Amino acid sequence: MQTGAALTYSGGGEWNYSEEIYIRENSGSSLVNYQIPVVLNSSNFDFSLAMDKGHDIRFTSGERQLQHWIEEWDAKGKKATVWVKIPTIAPQSTVKITMHYGNPDATDVSSGSSTFDFYDDFSGSGLFGKWESFTNGGGEIKVAAGICDLIVPKFHPEDVVVIKSKEVFPVNSMFVTRRQKVTTGTDSRGPVLTQGFVNPQKETRDQVLTVTELENESKVTWVLVNSKSSVRYFPKDLTNVNVAEGNWYTLGVAWYMEDELGKIAWYKNGERDSRMDLEATEENDHIPLTDMKVYLSANTYSDVSDNTGYAAFDYAYVRKFLSKEPTVMLATAIAADQDQNEVSEPARINITPASGLMTAIRIFDIADYEEADISGFKDSGVNTLMLLTDGDNIWSMERFVKTARDNDMQVYAMIFNDPKSHSDEENAEYVRNVLAKVLDYNSKSLSPFDGVDIALDPCSEDITEACDLNLLLLDDVREMTGNELPVAFDIPASYSLSDVSIVSENSDLIILQTYTHGNTYPKTRGVIIDSVASRMGEIRASGAKALIGIAVNEDFLTDTDVQSLLVQLQDYYADDTAFLGISLVVYEDYLEYSTVPEIPAESQSKGIPGFTGLVAVACLLAVSFRQKKR
């Protein structure tokens, strides 16, 4: 598509290719000059058709050229992120823009300053007019070769260097830097780094700051001060940067408002860490909403140890941010999805929550909970609820489902075996009937379920017949749900690898149990990892996603050993494409819900048969949240 005449600052030549991009507004707000990321990879873009560094990339809306900035362009690795400023998007509407490329004569017009509300790539020899600065005890600022170093080089209890913007920014902003920490002293803790927003007149009055310290920035703390409500809050050690010193990464602090209260989120390398999600309440309004400046600092510890060093910044920018950000879709990706839906194998559905990891809790009777308990779930890191339904109680759940979804939580409908069935045929029919009621509810309700979780009844004297029926039911479930509603299946610890492989090919999410009925459950990182290693391998090979089901004691929310175990597992699987999160079960409650004994060992599957060796489904992963009313 030759569109050179419509593009400015071209350097000559013509653009030979174009791609339509659709942007959907999700927050219900009118957006003005909102920055959206266009993420390119080998599945949606041919990097050989553009210049090596993306200098020929352009974006237009009608006859208007849009401002953009290239954050990353790796032609060899076939990945890129380009930010584009969209002039206006009406609430709940979709706008179309066009990306142009394929002009070897084009010059680079990528501009962070024109794209973001604030931008500095430190390309000069000093901070010039964008920043205010303060140093004490030997603190130094060095700007050279596009890098700004905040240096604390001396043994001094008040060795500090601070820069903050001269410009102020409103709530619904996100402050992002590309940074690294370097330790130059003998103390491996190195300097303390701080990033975020502060009051324009007096920085100690209002603060939304993230503080990272210790070796590899393993301790991360929020510092929240709201002078209007006279509230201070310092939640500590919530996550781990886990980046070796001297390595670059991006860190973002998102500060936004929802329901007239402040909320914050924390991003590393563009991924949100739900462990850092916090929100103010009317009783504890610790997040300010007044306009603030962005803030960066490095300082030494007060114990006068040799933890000297510096924070280096490659660039810094401020962009607009809302809790429900616009959805960005490339036309080629949409077409590819449509083509995939036409093939015989089931399409994978993206079930990854905004945080990147899923933490699920199962509820067997919502009468045991109040809607107010949902905020307690969220504060504990839970982002997915699974509600048991027999179909007859489904409409009584609608208000509960809506409250959960309003709190940005996913909600799955759980369908377990029929306690009244006397055969696998009867139970399979029961599952189909309940699923039909869930789908009917979803088509009519204002608060539909985000997915379904199904466990199948293995109990049968004829194991082969039971397995055949279960596999047929798998196919029926996928046909009924289509490629719009995610389907999760539970797999017990007794499954063979061939069983796992078959289920993985037909599901969007697998829940792997690491425990069995009547046995001591594994409690250590090594034992749990070893127990699921081969099954995770099968799931990984099939391209599926898995939750690892962990049994814990009833005091797991306050048990430091349990919390440490969860962090260890998340760190271990951090780079595993198959790992989607962890599902917890209180073992005492798991046993309490068990009503049918295990199938004898001699009757269990020895090969392809699926769903043999499963304990009665009514006992699977029965999680009793600690806020449940007894």
Side-chain angles (χ1 to χ4, degrees), residues 11 75 129 163 175 260 262 274 358 411 469 544:
I163 62 172
F175 179 34
E260 299 183 353
S274 62
M358 183 181 290
V411 186
L469 286 169

Side-chain angles (χ1 to χ4, degrees), residues 115-348:
T115 303
F116 295 112
D117 297 355
F118 173 89
Y119 176 81
D120 197 349
D121 61 0
F122 306 106
S123 56
S125 58
L127 295 178
F128 299 108
K130 294 183 178 180
W131 302 88
E132 302 169 351
S133 64
F134 170 79
T135 61
N136 189 51
E140 301 173 4
I141 301 173
K142 176 184 176 183
V143 179
I147 302 295
C148 175
D149 293 336
L150 305 186
I151 309 169
V152 283
K154 299 182 179 181
F155 287 89
H156 196 288
E158 297 180 359
D159 202 9
V160 62
V161 54
V162 172
I163 62 172
K164 58 182 178 181
S165 64
K166 292 185 177 180
E167 188 176 353
V168 298
F169 305 95
V171 69
N172 296 326
S173 295
M174 183 174 181
F175 179 34
V176 180
T177 65
R178 184 171 186 260
R179 59 188 238 175
Q180 65 172 239
K181 173 183 175 180
V182 177
T183 297
T184 57
T186 58
D187 187 337
S188 62
R189 295 180 300 173
V192 179
L193 310 187
T194 304
Q195 176 176 328
F197 298 86
V198 297
N199 183 283
Q201 282 75 44
K202 187 175 182 180
E203 62 194 43
T204 56
R205 291 188 60 195
D206 298 290
Q207 297 180 335
V208 174
L209 299 172
T210 180
V211 181
T212 62
E213 54 185 307
L214 305 183
E215 188 173 359
N216 296 338
E217 299 175 88
S218 60
K219 182 178 180 181
V220 182
T221 302
W222 280 119
V223 176
L224 306 173
V225 179
N226 187 354
S227 60
K228 183 178 179 180
S229 299
S230 300
V231 177
R232 296 171 178 265
Y233 188 41
F234 306 97
K236 298 179 181 295
D237 212 7
L238 300 178
T239 189
N240 185 353
V241 173
N242 196 28
V243 173
E245 294 189 3
N247 290 337
W248 291 100
Y249 69 96
T250 64
L251 189 146
V253 176
W255 164 53
Y256 61 103
M257 180 175 64
E258 198 170 60
D259 299 328
E260 299 183 353
L261 291 171
K263 295 186 177 183
I264 52 176
W266 189 91
Y267 287 74
K268 187 184 83 172
N269 291 331
E271 296 292 330
R272 185 170 183 165
D273 189 333
S274 62
R275 291 170 290 186
M276 293 288 285
D277 284 357
L278 287 176
E279 59 184 45
T281 64
E282 292 182 1
E283 296 77 18
N284 190 13
D285 189 10
H286 47 257
I287 299 176
L289 299 178
T290 183
D291 291 357
M292 294 198 285
K293 296 183 176 183
V294 294
Y295 176 97
L296 296 169
S297 75
N299 64 274
T300 54
Y301 289 99
S302 59
D303 57 13
V304 203
S305 64
D306 187 14
N307 64 308
T308 57
Y310 60 91
F313 298 93
D314 183 22
Y315 56 74
Y317 64 82
V318 177
R319 71 172 182 90
K320 294 177 172 61
F321 180 90
L322 293 172
S323 61
K324 296 179 180 178
E325 295 228 84
T327 303
V328 182
M329 301 168 287
L330 274 69
T332 52
I334 296 173
D337 286 343
Q338 293 173 343
D339 292 341
Q340 180 66 24
N341 289 342
E342 296 175 358
V343 301
S344 58
E345 292 187 3
R348 297 296 183 197

Side-chain angles (χ1 to χ4, degrees), residues 446-482:
L446 295 175
S447 301
F449 288 101
D450 298 288
V452 293
D453 172 55
I454 296 177
L456 306 179
D457 184 7
C459 304
S460 175
E461 294 181 0
D462 187 338
I463 298 301
T464 302
E465 177 186 350
C467 296
D468 290 342
L469 286 169
N470 284 327
L471 293 178
L472 287 174
L473 185 53
L474 270 176
D475 293 337
D476 289 347
V477 167
R478 288 315 303 244
E479 182 177 354
M480 292 175 68
T481 57

Side-chain angles (χ1 to χ4, degrees), residues 7 16 29 60 82 194 201 243 301 319 325 328 362 401 436 454 490 497 579 599-600 608 621:
L7 303 178
N16 296 305
S29 304
T60 59
V82 184
T194 304
Q201 282 75 44
V243 173
Y301 289 99
R319 71 172 182 90
E325 295 228 84
V328 182
R362 295 176 181 263
V401 174
I454 296 177
D490 302 316
L497 294 184
F579 179 74
I599 295 174
I608 289 182
L621 299 176

Side-chain angles (χ1 to χ4, degrees), residues 15 40 45 47 50-59 68 70 72-75 80 82 100-103 106-110:
W15 277 260
L40 305 176
F45 187 75
F47 282 82
M51 296 177 70
D52 285 346
K53 296 183 179 180
H55 289 173
D56 57 336
I57 291 291
R58 301 289 189 274
F59 297 88
H68 76 275
I70 299 175
E72 177 189 27
W73 192 280
D74 181 359
V82 184
H100 308 270
Y101 56 101
N103 180 359
T107 57
D108 183 24
V109 298
S110 168

Side-chain angles (χ1 to χ4, degrees), residues 58-85:
R58 301 289 189 274
F59 297 88
T60 59
S61 175
E63 296 298 317
R64 179 178 182 177
Q65 183 170 333
L66 306 178
Q67 299 290 346
H68 76 275
W69 177 69
I70 299 175
E71 182 168 24
E72 177 189 27
W73 192 280
D74 181 359
K76 185 176 180 180
K78 297 183 178 180
K79 59 181 180 178
T81 301
V82 184
W83 290 89
V84 185
K85 184 163 72 173

